[in-house]
Amino acid sequence: MSHTNNDSSDIKKAAEQANSQQIEKNLESGSPVDAPELLTEEEQTSFINDDLRTDK
């Protein structure tokens, strides 16, 4: 079952409700919100145990 008709109408609604002046203002401000979150050392650790890697 396809819902492409509903999807396109939702997209049209979003486009119609978008405030172009606010979007432009947000883009110009270059706010630091776009900066990536700093990860802890544990979060930066690779998921693959180096001892098990075969691609080295």
Side-chain angles (χ1 to χ4, degrees):
M1 180 193 275
S2 176
H3 296 292
T4 54
N5 290 341
N6 292 340
D7 292 344
S8 65
S9 66
D10 289 345
I11 293 169
K12 286 179 185 176
K13 282 182 193 175
E16 290 168 0
Q17 293 174 0
N19 182 341
S20 61
Q21 290 176 341
Q22 183 65 44
I23 293 170
E24 187 174 345
K25 182 179 167 185
N26 291 345
L27 290 171
E28 287 175 356
S29 71
S31 63
V33 175
D34 296 333
E37 179 182 339
L38 295 176
L39 301 177
T40 65
E41 187 175 335
E42 183 178 295
E43 292 172 325
Q44 292 177 11
T45 306
S46 64
F47 291 100
I48 300 172
N49 185 340
D50 279 338
D51 296 337
L52 302 175
R53 290 182 61 179
T54 59
D55 63 336
K56 288 186 177 181

